[in-house]
Amino acid sequence: MSNRTEPIRSVKGTRDLLPPDTHLWQRVEAEAHRVFAAYHYGEIRTPILEETALFARGVGAETDIVMKEMFTFNDRGDESLTLRPEATASVVRAYIEHSLYNLGGIQKLYYIGPMFRRERPQKGRYRQFYQIGAEILGSQNALVDVEIIEMLVLFLRRVGIREYQLLINSVGCPKCRTEYLDVLRDALEAVKSTMCVDCQRRAETNPLRVLDCKVGADQPIIDKLPKIIDHLDPECREHFARVTSGLEARSIEYQVTPRLVRGLDYYTRTTFEITSGALGAQNAVVGGGRYDGLSEMLGGPPTPGIGFSIGQDRLLLAVQSAGILKPEAHLAAYVVWMGDAALAAASQLVRDLRAQGLSVEIDYDPAKIKKAMGVANKLQARFAIIIGDGELASGKYQVKDMAGGEQSELEPSAIAEYLIGGEREIRSSG
Ligand code: HAM
């Protein structure tokens, strides 16, 4: 028909996550809660909306994120608001706002949630994407850098990721970076006219950003530029050496990558990424690093910090291709009934089983037994429970194991325990 209303579609670069995929998302999140709790992190939930100035100051006015990728709008009161493109700046804002530095010791916080960047969508790159991140505030100790990477690696192993590379670098502190930037600027002076227009501008405004230029023709030029790792001051060099030796002591493999300066301005000293070959072009699954000056940049007390964010969408692509973690989506029982009296008994049983935490399904519309058993099969129910006049009369219901085929007759009060036994069997074999 010509006058049909056009359906409304999701906004470009955003997507719906549906079952059964969401079961796997939940498994991954449950593992994050477990692993991070073992390392004594507490969850923080910050707003998705922040004042634009937070990211301009925190992430850096000259970065691609702030210059090109933010969803920024003027609120009715003409306040400039932004959908968060990342959460580290928000965590540090909250740390300052709630004076968490007064609690003494270090603060370990983690978050899971959506971020927004107006990038060109492609596989593994979305405008609304999700991150699982962790941040430690209040310690400059290189062993803290090592510990957070150790936690990350454990988490990746727990969700079944085996094939990845840890890339690591140091971007120094403001002191040694200033000296390096002079050297870099001099080197760029000679070559910048042959580079892309963005790099020509960056060479003036923020030369470090030249190093993460993705334009193919610029790559051989960038490879020959001086490396920050060769210009670290003694303290930064010592810090980096302690990080790498700590990783070695834990048998965590890494690759020193001198160009890894990361696309955000807040980094100091350690920077790292985790890439996975399984992902194609968008191969960075995790980005992280130290940000010892961020708290001060945001008006807080001097507070060193380090953290990482895992791109959850990309992580899930990798988890799916590794195929080790299985979604826990299964139905313990499908209840089949025949006749009105059986419906009442079936409804009661379903309610009792669900109250005990078992996943159970029932269709309230009458159906022929063959068809109902077909549904149980399609839903991959572990058991089918059959209730008809005969079962009501005997007070025992038929419980059929859908995999093995054997059938038992059980009193309603014994069914929950029987199903829980079946669940345990699945868990121990899976
Ligand atoms: P980031 O490198 O900008 O770092 O992002 C971290 C991860 O988020 C990336 O490695 C990638 O997996 C994922 N990601 C980024 N943009 C997209 C996108 N458009 N679509 C899908 N996934 C994406 C940060 O955000 C820092 N806050 C990390 C950090 C925490 N540094 C210190 N603490």
Side-chain angles (χ1 to χ4, degrees):
M1 269 194 288
S2 57
N3 62 348
R4 240 182 57 190
T5 312
E6 278 295 310
I8 295 173
R9 302 179 62 93
S10 59
V11 172
K12 183 175 177 187
T14 72
R15 60 198 182 126
D16 302 304
L17 300 169
L18 304 171
D21 289 354
T22 40
H23 295 295
L24 206 53
W25 282 66
Q26 288 178 348
R27 282 292 304 275
V28 163
E29 285 163 21
E31 210 52 67
H33 290 297
R34 253 195 300 271
V35 171
F36 297 174
Y39 280 80
H40 197 222
Y41 282 71
E43 186 184 359
I44 180 169
R45 301 190 188 193
T46 63
I48 283 165
L49 271 182
E50 295 275 6
E51 273 185 41
T52 303
L54 174 65
F55 304 111
R57 267 157 73 181
V59 174
E62 264 297 315
T63 58
D64 277 356
I65 294 180
V66 172
M67 287 188 66
K68 304 182 193 164
E69 297 169 1
M70 294 205 305
F71 284 96
T72 295
F73 60 95
N74 277 348
D75 189 27
R76 287 163 195 257
D78 260 5
E79 194 182 8
S80 179
L81 300 181
T82 293
L83 295 179
R84 64 178 185 195
E86 62 108 49
T88 308
S90 302
V91 170
V92 176
R93 178 203 45 71
Y95 175 84
I96 299 166
E97 190 166 331
H98 303 285
S99 312
L100 299 185
Y101 42 85
N102 281 339
L103 299 178
I106 60 174
Q107 289 293 311
K108 294 172 143 183
L109 300 165
Y110 76 95
Y111 49 86
I112 301 177
M115 311 290 155
F116 303 82
R117 294 184 196 175
R118 209 172 182 292
E119 295 189 81
R120 201 166 45 74
Q122 62 182 82
K123 188 171 181 220
R125 191 160 75 193
Y126 310 97
R127 291 182 171 183
Q128 174 171 339
F129 60 100
Y130 295 80
Q131 284 186 345
I132 301 177
E135 315 285 348
I136 310 186
L137 289 141
S139 174
Q140 236 178 341
N141 195 323
L143 289 178
V144 164
D145 306 28
V146 177
E147 187 195 75
I148 204 168
I149 294 174
E150 174 196 294
M151 176 173 87
L152 175 59
V153 166
L154 173 64
F155 168 74
L156 292 176
R157 211 175 62 222
R158 290 280 268 272
V159 297
I161 308 282
R162 300 278 191 278
E163 314 268 305
Y164 60 82
Q165 283 198 305
L166 169 64
L167 314 179
I168 183 161
N169 191 25
S170 173
V171 293
C173 62
K175 196 157 64 73
C176 49
R177 191 146 3 130
T178 310
E179 286 171 27
Y180 168 68
L181 288 179
D182 287 342
V183 176
L184 183 62
R185 252 192 217 98
D186 285 349
L188 281 169
E189 206 48 50
V191 292
K192 71 178 182 200
S193 61
T194 62
M195 302 184 79
C196 73
V197 283
D198 276 344
C199 279
Q200 295 189 18
R201 180 177 46 80
R202 292 174 187 135
E204 303 295 329
T205 55
N206 192 345
L208 209 56
R209 292 276 75 82
V210 169
L211 302 184
D212 39 50
C213 168
K214 301 284 181 301
V215 174
D218 287 356
Q219 301 311 307
I221 306 171
I222 296 169
D223 284 339
K224 291 202 201 82
L225 291 171
K227 297 179 174 51
I228 191 158
I229 199 110
D230 300 329
H231 293 81
L232 299 178
D233 64 22
E235 292 80 26
C236 290
R237 205 174 319 128
E238 165 75 16
H239 185 95
F240 191 59
R242 291 186 65 206
V243 173
T244 51
S245 65
L247 293 174
E248 281 155 29
R250 286 162 178 74
S251 305
I252 297 172
E253 281 178 32
Y254 63 88
Q255 201 176 309
V256 176
T257 310
R259 266 186 62 179
L260 186 74
V261 292
R262 312 260 306 120
L264 302 90
D265 276 353
Y266 50 61
Y267 290 113
T268 53
R269 295 192 166 170
T270 316
T271 53
F272 57 94
E273 278 188 4
I274 286 191
T275 58
S276 165
L279 290 179
Q282 300 306 315
N283 67 351
V285 191
V286 186
R290 203 164 249 295
Y291 44 85
D292 293 343
L294 181 55
S295 173
E296 280 172 282
M297 269 150 64
L298 297 178
T303 310
I306 180 166
F308 65 75
S309 310
I310 303 166
Q312 199 180 351
D313 309 75
R314 293 181 194 175
L315 177 71
L316 269 117
L317 287 170
V319 165
Q320 274 157 339
S321 79
I324 294 167
L325 199 66
K326 295 276 182 277
E328 217 166 83
H330 80 270
L331 191 60
Y334 187 76
V335 178
V336 176
W337 55 274
M338 279 142 301
D340 286 345
L343 172 59
S347 306
Q348 182 61 46
L349 176 70
V350 167
R351 181 175 165 197
D352 290 346
L353 296 176
R354 286 173 172 166
Q356 297 190 60
L358 288 156
S359 171
V360 178
E361 190 55 289
I362 182 171
D363 183 348
Y364 294 109
D365 291 328
K368 296 245 158 54
I369 181 145
K370 195 160 168 227
K371 187 166 167 237
M373 292 305 285
V375 175
N377 213 7
K378 187 160 163 249
L379 296 179
Q380 298 183 334
R382 175 85 170 83
F383 295 96
I385 302 171
I386 302 145
I387 312 174
D389 289 341
E391 284 75 23
L392 288 180
S394 72
K396 288 189 170 171
Y397 302 166
Q398 308 277 345
V399 181
K400 182 175 179 188
D401 184 327
M402 296 297 285
E406 63 269 23
Q407 202 146 316
S408 320
E409 290 188 353
L410 295 174
E411 286 178 13
S413 60
I415 292 179
E417 204 172 318
Y418 186 76
L419 298 189
I420 290 166
E423 296 287 279
R424 248 187 244 119
E425 219 175 90
I426 286 194
R427 236 162 275 251
S428 55
S429 66

